Amino acid sequence: NKENSSSRGALIVLEGLDRCGKTSQSSRLYKYLDEQGYSVESWRFPDRNTGVGQMISSYLANQAHLDDHAIHLLFSANRWEKRMLMEEKLRSGTTLVVDRYSYSGVAFSSAKGLDTEWCKAPEIGLLAPDLVVYLDISPEKAAERGGYGGERYEQLEFQKKVANSYLTLHDSSWKVIDATLPVEDIEEKLREIVLDSMTICQKGKPLSQLWP
Ligand code: TMP
């Protein structure tokens, strides 16, 4: 373990459209950091293991119908039920690599036509990421990647709207990586920016909250 007891871990978030490669990059990154001896965990949202997560899962599988506002709040609640643990992990020096976070929450719900500010409100007070990496791919290219899995949001027309919503959320602190690059190139770029962010956190960057 390369970290000392007084330094905190970094909250690293990966975002992007469905099939942008986030999940495989998250696990590669996790594996790399773990092998390097860092204290690190791989998280994802929705976390389908909780009671709320199971409701979300059946909604996504089209087994349950829910009002757009209601499902939005469930996605948010799913993050809130993990907030305390998240803070404990970070303060004890563990870096968290998180596949999707509040930005997915806002991007997907506002793509349905819900008001962006309304969508952001329940996220206020969750921990702000130290780094947001956006894996950038066009909806058309993403759709070509062996087709979608058949969950509720995995449709080209909807993903186009999500891409536009993400654009409104980007700020200058986001790191954008071209998700059509070879997997190893993405992996290398990701490692570099993540290690930078971890160093800044180790040096005492305070934890902050959404929305900064
Ligand atoms: P997953 O494929 O990464 O497990 O995510 C499932 C779907 O849920 C994906 O289409 C994105 C969507 N989503 C939301 O709509 N709101 C959220 O807050 C999150 C985390 C995901």
Side-chain angles (χ1 to χ4, degrees), residues 18 22 44-46 48 60 75 79 100-101 104-105 108 151 153:
D18 288 296
K22 248 175 332 67
R44 69 176 310 143
F45 289 107
R48 303 187 190 214
L60 289 171
F75 274 112
R79 284 182 279 281
R100 297 193 183 283
Y101 197 55
S104 283
F108 281 76
E151 279 205 329
Y153 297 147

Side-chain angles (χ1 to χ4, degrees), residues 124-142:
I124 294 173
L126 289 172
L127 295 175
D130 295 296
L131 173 68
V132 181
V133 179
Y134 185 75
L135 292 184
D136 190 23
I137 190 169
S138 72
E140 291 80 4
K141 276 254 160 62

